Structure formats: C-alpha cells, structure tokens
Amino acid sequence: MVGGDLLMSGSERERAFLVRQSVEGCLSQREASERAGISVRQFKRLVRAWRGGGDAGLVSRQRGRPSHRRMSEAVRTRIGVLLKEKYADFGATLAAEKLLELDGIKVSVEMVRRIQIGLRLWRPKTRRARRVFQLRERRPRFGELIQIDGSPHDWFEGRAPRRTLIVFIDDATSRLTALRFAPG
C-alpha cells in the first residue's frame, strides 16, 4: 500500500521501478523514459515527484475522485423520474430521443440505459451459453457409412425444370460416391 489506502497500478509500479533504476544510475533518464513510453521531460517530472513523496508521489491524485464531466445528481434524478413516469416501457434509444425532443435533456443512450438498469426498468440481456456438440468419430473404412445430402436449385438456369441434386458422400474419405438429379 502506498499513500494511505491507495494501491499502485501495474503501470505505476513499472514507472516506480524505472525511476529507482534511473536515480541509482543503472539507467539513463532517456532509456528509462523510452521504456516507460513517455518523453524525457515527463520522466523528469516523475523523478521530482518520486523524490518528493516516494512511491506515493507516483500514484495518480485523481484516483477515487468523481469525474469533472460527471452528470449532476439533480439532472440524473430528473431523468429517473421522467423515465419512470413517461418512458417506463421505452427502450434506451427511444427514451434518449424523447428526452431530447420533448423535455430538452440531451443525454447519451448508454447513460439512459444505465439509469434504466439502476431503476430496474430494463434488464440487460443474458448471453446464451454456447452449446457444445460432441464431434462424431469418422468411420475408419471406405463404404462403412454413406451420407446423403440434397441441394434444391435451378441448376439448368431456366432451360429445364428445377431439380434437386442428391449427393452421396463417403464418411471415411469425404469422397463423392454418386451424384443424381431428382425432380424438384
């Protein structure tokens, strides 16, 4: 733990390691900055922050704070009330359009969806588990199993009546054993 109750992220730990290597003289600041993927000037800022506060100086001060672009709680509450009263049976896209058109509130579809989920007006779809099919072992010898498949199509492009192509396929070799046209 660093800086009270804040934990360092993986990239912050990597930067702390590179700063220590640079301060100890094992790496130049240019090499360390290249490894960190930042400019030498930014790396020098990191070294100053590390010298001033140790590893805690490298932890982002924005962590744990709300975003500056966050929607105000009053607007969020107003949208929630409107969604419950006027748009309870609307999907997120239509609700966002109607909020803009009728109520003058411009809000993203994703924000409407999140508010609807919070109010239990909409439940996210659960993904259906993929069914696993057991593959059948192929037959070991030619002729042991013949599979038959039909393909209805206008094979003669209007020059003759429609036909169905019947195909006989050997399971062991995938070889076509016979092909026949049948009336379609």
Side-chain angles (χ1 to χ4, degrees), residues 65-135:
R65 292 183 182 175
S67 169
H68 295 296
R69 297 180 45 151
R70 182 178 175 172
M71 181 184 294
S72 72
E73 206 52 47
V75 173
R76 186 184 283 259
T77 305
R78 181 162 178 243
I79 291 171
V81 168
L82 288 170
L83 288 174
K84 279 183 182 177
E85 293 175 358
K86 291 170 72 174
Y87 312 118
D89 57 344
F90 284 34
T93 304
L94 183 59
E97 290 172 4
K98 292 300 177 182
L99 282 167
L100 178 61
E101 182 181 322
L102 302 175
D103 302 304
I105 301 172
K106 185 175 182 180
V107 63
S108 72
V109 173
E110 234 0 86
M111 178 57 72
V112 170
R113 183 173 289 119
R114 277 190 244 134
I115 294 171
Q116 285 178 328
I117 291 170
L119 296 172
R120 299 191 186 278
L121 296 175
W122 188 81
R123 284 191 321 212
K125 292 180 183 174
T126 56
R127 288 199 174 178
R128 188 179 299 173
R130 290 189 57 178
R131 291 176 48 193
V132 179
F133 296 96
Q134 185 68 33
L135 293 177

Side-chain angles (χ1 to χ4, degrees), residues 138-145 170-173:
R138 287 182 154 223
R139 297 299 170 112
R141 290 184 295 280
F142 178 79
E144 220 176 288
L145 176 65
D170 175 59
D171 186 54
T173 61

